[in-house]
Amino acid sequence: MAEPAPILSLQDVTKRYGAIQAVDGVSLDLADRSFVALVGASGSGKSTLLKTINRLVEPDKGAILLEGEDIRRLEPHALRRRMGYVFQGIGLFPHMTVTENIAIGPRIAGATIDAARVGALLQLVELDGSYSARLPHELSGGQRQRIGVARALACNPQVLLMDEPFGALDPVTRNALGRKVRDLHIRLGLTTLMVTHDMAEALLLADRVLVMEQGRIVADCTPHELLAGDGGSTAQALVAVPREQARALAELAG
Ligand code: ADP
Ligand code: MG
């Protein structure tokens, strides 16, 4: 049987900033409803690559297809409706309430969402309606991040792009929110691409892990393959970190 067509297809995507080759000829197909983690050291090009997918950054070269259609031919608002984006460092507007932050995507796209829809989105991220009138500074880090996810889902996207969504959170909140996003991914039938520098998080949440180094994808493996030692030296150096922690903890415990 033929493979189903990918929902997203990147073809030789390239972006240079002066002398820095931020993204260097990345080609990649994402299967519909897959949960893919993009891992790599700081500066390896993860955010730049993610931004090219929803046209926050225009590549110098290459193309990106959404369900077979070149995204340059899609109207930007239509594109943003189909792809939710959770920004690195939260990115809520500080002077807007939770409701206004959640509604910003639909508003830019020329639509409005009512209080019931805001309530439903808050419920998706397990916050009750009483949060709707709060300002971002009146929320905990974990709550702000949940609002970031709710905002990304406000337009009912097919694709969820997340840039280090849990980076600033304490480990317990981070773990719980990771599970929650994984549940939402399945329940809403999303295709999710999550940038993280944390290999443990990638291994625990994703079905497929991409490792980026100096603008290139240097490994493309399942968590199982990575744990079995595949993916090459850069990937294995990242896998060694949580593995060593687990070993040290097991030694302490036993
Ligand atoms: P990551 O998200 O993996 O930390 P980035 O995609 O943010 O990496 O950055 C990749 C490289 O491109 C880095 O060297 C960074 O300094 C550079 N870079 C990113 N954005 C810009 C920009 N707007 N202007 C100049 N250089 C940039
Ligand atoms: Mg980044």
Side-chain angles (χ1 to χ4, degrees), residues 15-18 20-23 38-51 57 88 163-164 195 212 215:
K15 177 69 187 179
R16 169 184 286 278
Y17 291 111
I20 296 165
Q21 191 74 50
V23 177
L38 179 60
V39 190
S42 183
S44 57
K46 307 180 297 295
S47 293
T48 305
L49 183 63
L50 202 68
K51 286 177 189 162
V57 165
Q88 184 166 11
D163 196 349
E164 307 218 16
V195 167
M212 206 164 175

Side-chain angles (χ1 to χ4, degrees), residues 24-247:
D24 191 4
V26 169
S27 295
L28 188 66
D29 284 343
L30 294 196
D32 192 19
R33 299 181 185 226
S34 55
F35 195 124
V36 180
L38 179 60
V39 190
S42 183
S44 57
K46 307 180 297 295
S47 293
T48 305
L49 183 63
L50 202 68
K51 286 177 189 162
T52 63
I53 297 174
N54 79 341
R55 297 190 69 188
L56 286 171
V57 165
E58 291 294 335
D60 303 325
K61 203 172 95 174
I64 294 159
L65 311 184
L66 177 62
E67 292 185 302
E69 195 170 4
D70 192 318
I71 60 169
R72 283 169 293 200
R73 295 178 49 190
L74 295 170
E75 194 253 323
H77 294 157
L79 180 69
R80 304 264 153 83
R81 272 200 298 277
R82 292 168 69 183
M83 294 192 193
Y85 199 102
V86 180
F87 292 89
Q88 184 166 11
I90 305 173
L92 296 180
F93 295 101
H95 304 299
M96 290 187 184
T97 64
V98 162
T99 293
E100 289 163 345
N101 266 288
I102 288 176
I104 192 81
R107 209 179 84 197
I108 290 170
T112 53
I113 63 174
D114 60 16
R117 173 74 180 141
V118 171
L121 286 161
L122 286 176
Q123 210 168 30
L124 278 182
V125 293
E126 288 173 351
L127 291 173
D128 67 59
S130 68
Y131 288 93
S132 60
R134 293 209 198 176
L135 292 167
H137 79 264
E138 298 169 321
L139 303 169
S140 72
Q143 289 165 344
R144 277 200 289 272
Q145 212 50 298
R146 282 165 193 254
I147 302 304
V149 173
R151 179 173 65 179
L153 296 174
C155 290
N156 280 321
Q158 299 165 283
V159 175
L160 180 60
L161 305 172
M162 297 192 287
D163 196 349
E164 307 218 16
F166 317 126
L169 302 177
D170 66 85
V172 174
T173 307
R174 183 176 184 135
N175 215 19
L177 200 50
R179 296 272 134 222
K180 183 71 214 158
V181 166
R182 174 82 212 181
D183 292 348
L184 282 175
H185 160 85
I186 293 179
R187 182 138 68 93
L188 302 178
L190 299 167
T191 301
T192 302
L193 181 56
M194 176 183 76
V195 167
T196 175
H197 58 255
D198 183 343
M199 180 54 96
E201 187 166 85
L203 292 169
L204 290 168
L205 294 179
D207 337 296
R208 178 180 175 196
V209 179
L210 307 170
V211 178
M212 206 164 175
E213 185 180 44
Q214 292 182 14
R216 294 169 183 260
I217 304 289
V218 295
D220 180 354
C221 294
T222 64
H224 187 81
E225 288 165 341
L226 285 172
L227 289 169
D230 294 345
S233 59
T234 303
Q236 285 305 313
L238 293 169
V239 173
V241 178
R243 180 178 277 138
E244 174 54 26
Q245 275 187 328
R247 193 201 59 74

